Amino acid sequence: MIRVAICDDNLNIANSIENGVIDMDIKGLSCDVFSSGVELIRHLQSDQISYNIYLMDIEMPMQNGISTASIIRNNDQDALIIFITNYKEYVYEVFEVLPFRFLQKPVSSDELSHALLDAIEHIQRAGQIFFFQIGHQKYQLHYHEIIYFEGAARKVVIHTASGTYETYGKIADIIVSLDKSLFCQTHASYIVNMDYIRSIKKMDVILQEGIPIPISKKHKNEIKRAYLSFIEWRCGKQ
Amino acid sequence: MSYFTTPASTLVFAMEILFNIIDMLFILRLYNRGYGKANISNRKHYLLAALVIVVVTCFARAILAPFRPAAWPPITVLFSFPFLICYPKNRQKKILYSIILLTVSWAWLFAYDLLTSPLEFKNIWVITSGVHCGFWGLLELVRKIDKGEKYNIPHSLWLLLTAISMASMITLGMTWYYVTQRDNPYLLTIELPMMLVFLFTNISLFAFFDRFSTLMRTEQENILLEQQLQLQNKHYEELEAVRDQIHTSQHNMKNYLQTASQLAARQECNEELIEFLRTASGEINKVEQVVSTGNPCLDSILNIKISEFHHENIKLDTIIHIPPNLNLSFEQVVGILGNLMDNAKEACQNLKYEERWVRINISYTKHTLFIRLENSAQEIKLWKNGLPISTKKEAGLHGLGLKNVRKIIAEIGTMNIESTSNSFVVRIALFDL
């Protein structure tokens, strides 16, 4: 189930976007329209719900798209925010809320469906599940929770933001089962979630939190190539 | 024909001729690697060399005692020297290599002689094959070491390397003389390890020369790249200054026109003049920046290049979404975007008007700046070290643009270049901005 919120003070535009979303005819996708940031935030807080994708106009009276988005971002790190902007309108603070994409008015149905399909693909990729066992206990983690895998002797340590898990296995077996568009092997004993990469240096990959992960010569070119494709995909192919 | 008393001795002579020809071919193979392609046809080259070496071997057979071998690697090396004139000019390398090669072949022969002479078992076939096979091995080893660098090394360094080789040769000669004059010449003595050391030293000289030559080339290349970058920076600084000036005068002009229209409005019957002045100030408003991202140097280079694209009738499609104040220097932006957009423009200039297009995507996500520049272009077939070989006529400027881009990016990101049948795509990710 993917939930989309459209927020635009111009109801004509909001409706045409909603129609565009409905016309795409995607299964399991629901769509709500809000005419102001205030209304959207009130709805989020009172009903204790959240949306996966926000299509947000930047220029709105009272509470503009950016401050609305920053409230959403504070409560939900995974929300995908797509801004709808006027041509030439350039708002610099917009990057602080980590936007997923930008759409320019007037929004063509092609561009809308392109951005939305990318967002859905992103959610589906990150939402895939990795199963493993510790002793006889079965565990599962969403892909987006996993920062990196580290192999040590016959064990594999799974690092997540909330802690580490240790399971029996081999890095070589795990990489085969993972989605290569999201995970990349950097070393005989490391697999990294590319969503968490901050930079690639000569000898290691630096993660968003500053943790260095070693790169082996064998995987160096491969990881650079994979990360470039990943970033290109994140930025939206032309 | 008193030399060939038995069929065996005739056969041995035939073998010597064959081995000598092969020696010569191996030497020419090494020359091809070291000096580049010979400027006469391969067939002529090899045939002539074979002919020369056959004559030399026959001559040696005629003057030497029958029990002496007529095939000596150093002699073959000596007679390969005249062929050096067939190769591109490179006096420094040719002289040094010739001396080292001569020393190496002689040291090898000497070492082999010292090693095999004390042996009880003496089969002429085995002994002769051994010396030649070993020589081929050495030549192949040198060929492996030599990367075909053609850059001259500093003269003093060259003199030093040549002196080392010359000194080895002289010592070799003296030792040879000493050993043959001795009562029991072929005892396994100190001479053998000495010869091996000479062999090793002289082969190392090839490696030294090659390394130094490579260093010289990279240094020269870096100087060129640096110069190119400085020129570019200057060019853009000047352009920016001009643009600033135009902006200021446009701004002033607009004010003058507005003042003029206000003055005109005070008098009656000036409708036409007022209308004219209004249109004129409107025209000025139209000339403004196309891109404005809050990154001054990036904006100015993009705007300069975009207006150049318009002049060339290039259809342009841009997606630019980046935060302001990115941590990029003027040099980096000029080096990357300036070069890429220049390349795109040049590629488009070779196409018809209706086929010219450029797509630029500059986006930012997760501390990474992503740049994708695609332009219509003919397919590129010639590549070297992952970069296309430039088709530009002016020597010295060959492919400097992309080399510079790669040099700048090496420290801060990664890049990928692709060429399809009708387009050229460069993708770049710059980390941690």
Side-chain angles (χ1 to χ4, degrees):
Chain A
M1 182 74 177
I2 289 169
R3 299 164 57 84
V4 180
I6 300 166
C7 188
D8 198 319
D9 59 317
N10 184 332
L11 274 178
N12 285 332
I13 295 179
N15 285 336
S16 82
I17 290 174
E18 187 186 15
N19 288 336
V21 175
I22 292 166
D23 285 347
M24 283 170 68
D25 197 21
I26 296 166
K27 265 190 191 151
L29 186 134
S30 73
C31 185
D32 292 331
V33 177
F34 302 90
S35 63
S36 75
V38 182
E39 189 192 335
L40 171 62
I41 296 296
R42 198 184 301 133
H43 182 68
L44 290 178
Q45 283 166 350
S46 64
D47 293 6
Q48 288 296 313
I49 56 151
S50 67
Y51 292 89
N52 305 95
I53 302 167
Y54 296 85
L55 289 158
M56 181 93 57
D57 187 15
I58 287 191
E59 241 178 63
M60 289 187 290
M62 309 258 285
Q63 187 168 21
N64 71 17
I66 296 168
S67 60
T68 312
S70 81
I71 297 170
I72 294 168
R73 178 60 77 221
N74 281 339
N75 297 317
D76 183 359
Q77 289 301 309
D78 299 323
L80 299 182
I81 300 167
I82 300 173
F83 282 114
I84 300 163
T85 65
N86 274 318
Y87 184 63
K88 285 213 172 176
E89 168 190 59
Y90 209 89
V91 188
Y92 297 142
E93 307 84 57
V94 75
F95 284 91
E96 284 160 24
V97 301
L98 307 176
F100 181 70
R101 288 288 160 76
F102 295 88
L103 290 173
Q104 251 162 27
K105 283 183 196 170
V107 181
S108 74
S109 61
D110 267 1
E111 283 165 344
L112 177 69
S113 66
H114 194 137
L116 216 52
L117 286 175
D118 273 0
I120 292 165
E121 196 186 339
H122 185 268
I123 292 165
Q124 283 167 348
R125 268 190 198 181
Q128 295 175 75
I129 290 167
F130 179 72
F131 297 95
F132 59 100
Q133 267 188 336
I134 300 177
H136 291 292
Q137 197 79 22
K138 286 193 163 106
Y139 287 83
Q140 61 181 58
L141 284 170
H142 286 289
Y143 275 7
H144 69 89
E145 292 176 282
I146 301 167
I147 303 173
Y148 67 99
F149 295 88
E150 182 183 11
R154 286 159 59 214
K155 283 185 175 170
V156 170
V157 184
I158 307 166
H159 295 258
T160 70
S162 54
T164 57
Y165 301 84
E166 237 181 65
T167 172
Y168 281 102
K170 280 190 206 149
I171 286 289
D173 296 334
I174 288 176
I175 187 71
V176 180
S177 71
L178 294 171
D179 185 346
K180 299 285 193 313
S181 56
L182 196 60
F183 287 96
C184 186
Q185 185 167 10
T186 66
H187 186 275
S189 36
Y190 288 93
I191 300 170
V192 174
N193 184 341
M194 287 190 277
D195 217 8
Y196 289 94
I197 291 180
R198 187 183 180 114
S199 71
I200 301 171
K201 303 266 185 231
K202 277 212 174 83
M203 309 293 288
D204 33 33
V205 168
I206 310 293
L207 300 182
Q208 297 290 358
E209 290 79 16
I211 304 166
I213 304 289
I215 301 179
S216 65
K217 214 172 170 186
K218 185 182 158 196
H219 294 101
K220 185 160 189 174
N221 286 333
E222 177 55 26
I223 173 121
K224 282 188 167 177
R225 208 185 51 72
Y227 188 59
L228 199 53
S229 312
F230 174 76
I231 287 292
E232 180 177 26
W233 177 79
R234 271 303 306 257
C235 291
K237 286 197 175 171
Q238 225 156 345
Chain B
M1 290 299 268
S2 62
Y3 292 104
F4 307 127
T5 44
T6 60
S9 66
T10 317
L11 269 179
V12 168
F13 179 64
M15 174 181 71
E16 283 179 326
I17 286 189
L18 181 69
F19 278 153
N20 261 358
I21 291 174
I22 298 174
D23 282 359
M24 190 60 142
L25 294 184
F26 267 100
I27 293 170
L28 293 184
R29 202 163 117 89
L30 175 66
Y31 287 175
N32 283 341
R33 162 63 70 93
Y35 308 123
K37 229 180 115 43
N39 44 25
I40 61 171
S41 82
N42 266 345
R43 227 169 106 196
K44 252 193 226 162
H45 195 47
Y46 290 132
L47 271 177
L48 200 63
L51 191 68
V52 166
I53 206 63
V54 169
V55 171
V56 168
T57 319
C58 291
F59 181 74
R61 184 73 296 155
I63 60 162
L64 289 172
F67 60 87
R68 294 240 180 241
W72 290 28
I75 302 294
T76 317
V77 170
L78 211 56
F79 280 94
S80 74
F81 290 161
F83 291 96
L84 286 176
I85 47 168
C86 303
Y87 289 92
K89 209 174 147 190
N90 192 349
R91 196 191 293 158
Q92 198 187 52
K93 189 173 179 178
K94 281 182 185 171
I95 293 177
L96 179 64
Y97 267 40
S98 302
I99 295 171
I100 307 176
L101 204 57
L102 203 56
T103 317
V104 165
S105 57
W106 194 6
W108 163 245
L109 183 67
F110 201 177
Y112 189 78
D113 199 24
L114 287 167
L115 192 72
T116 52
S117 296
L119 295 179
E120 294 287 317
F121 161 83
K122 277 207 176 67
N123 180 322
I124 184 135
W125 296 88
V126 176
I127 302 269
T128 316
S129 309
V131 73
H132 288 281
C133 289
F135 185 53
W136 301 337
L138 287 174
L139 288 174
E140 276 306 283
L141 178 68
V142 174
R143 210 176 77 89
K144 273 267 167 330
I145 292 171
D146 192 348
K147 302 281 185 305
E149 286 293 352
K150 290 171 192 68
Y151 269 79
N152 277 356
I153 62 172
H155 197 67
S156 53
L157 205 60
W158 176 80
L159 269 179
L160 182 71
L161 295 185
T162 316
I164 294 174
S165 190
M166 286 294 272
S168 329
M169 205 193 294
I170 292 166
T171 322
L172 209 61
M174 283 159 61
T175 320
W176 182 283
Y177 179 77
Y178 167 72
V179 168
T180 45
Q181 294 300 307
R182 198 161 62 187
D183 283 346
N184 200 348
Y186 296 115
L187 273 177
L188 273 175
T189 51
I190 186 72
E191 285 88 14
L192 184 61
M194 215 166 98
M195 284 312 116
L196 292 177
V197 169
F198 276 139
L199 209 54
F200 174 76
T201 318
N202 278 278
I203 289 175
S204 311
L205 290 181
F206 282 112
F208 279 136
F209 181 85
D210 196 71
R211 281 305 300 153
F212 280 125
S213 189
T214 312
L215 277 177
M216 291 306 290
R217 180 176 55 83
T218 11
E219 200 180 44
Q220 230 147 348
E221 234 173 53
N222 279 340
I223 292 171
L224 259 178
L225 288 178
E226 201 54 46
Q227 277 175 352
Q228 167 95 342
L229 269 182
Q230 275 169 8
L231 272 175
Q232 276 180 345
N233 281 339
K234 212 172 144 234
H235 171 70
Y236 284 103
E237 271 163 19
E238 282 167 7
L239 271 181
E240 225 189 322
V242 171
R243 278 173 62 84
D244 261 359
Q245 236 173 5
I246 292 173
H247 264 291
T248 322
S249 57
Q250 267 178 0
H251 184 76
N252 292 342
M253 199 63 76
K254 204 174 134 191
N255 284 342
Y256 297 151
L257 285 172
Q258 276 168 355
T259 322
S261 59
Q262 273 165 15
L263 288 174
R266 286 189 194 166
Q267 289 173 11
E268 286 170 18
C269 309
N270 249 345
E271 287 302 320
E272 256 176 89
L273 179 60
I274 294 169
E275 190 49 41
F276 168 75
L277 290 170
R278 196 172 292 144
T279 327
S281 62
E283 279 295 314
I284 287 177
N285 262 345
K286 275 188 200 161
V287 192
E288 61 179 332
Q289 301 225 97
V290 187
V291 178
S292 155
T293 67
N295 295 278
C297 50
L298 197 129
D299 289 351
S300 72
I301 286 158
L302 279 174
N303 284 317
I304 289 167
K305 287 291 150 197
I306 286 172
S307 73
E308 282 181 27
F309 283 179
H310 284 311
H311 274 286
E312 296 289 338
N313 259 16
I314 299 169
K315 191 171 164 284
L316 182 70
D317 189 4
T318 55
I319 295 179
I320 300 171
H321 288 296
I322 53 171
N325 308 320
L326 282 173
N327 186 19
L328 276 173
S329 69
F330 186 69
E331 287 77 13
Q332 286 170 330
V333 177
V334 167
I336 297 169
L337 277 178
N339 276 317
L340 290 183
M341 290 175 87
D342 278 343
N343 283 351
K345 192 179 83 178
E346 270 159 35
C348 283
Q349 280 168 336
N350 292 329
L351 301 170
K352 289 183 214 138
Y353 276 143
E354 60 273 17
E355 286 172 356
R356 297 177 177 185
W357 54 262
V358 173
R359 284 187 205 133
I360 302 172
N361 180 347
I362 307 180
S363 303
Y364 183 81
T365 180
K366 292 176 179 291
H367 304 284
T368 300
L369 184 73
F370 175 72
I371 300 172
R372 182 182 192 276
L373 198 137
E374 183 176 13
N375 58 271
S376 55
Q378 283 151 352
E379 187 170 3
I380 290 162
K381 300 241 165 65
L382 295 171
W383 298 76
K384 191 183 175 191
N385 296 331
L387 295 180
I389 296 174
S390 169
T391 48
K392 263 189 248 176
K393 298 271 186 311
E394 318 94 81
L397 286 173
H398 275 226
L400 273 187
L402 277 173
K403 260 190 194 166
N404 254 332
V405 177
R406 187 155 79 171
K407 195 179 157 205
I408 295 165
I409 285 171
E411 295 297 315
I412 54 170
T414 179
M415 119 165 148
N416 172 273
I417 301 171
E418 260 174 53
S419 168
T420 68
S421 60
N422 66 348
S423 78
F424 184 75
V425 194
V426 180
R427 293 183 188 83
I428 292 171
L430 302 179
F431 307 129
D432 225 352
L433 294 178

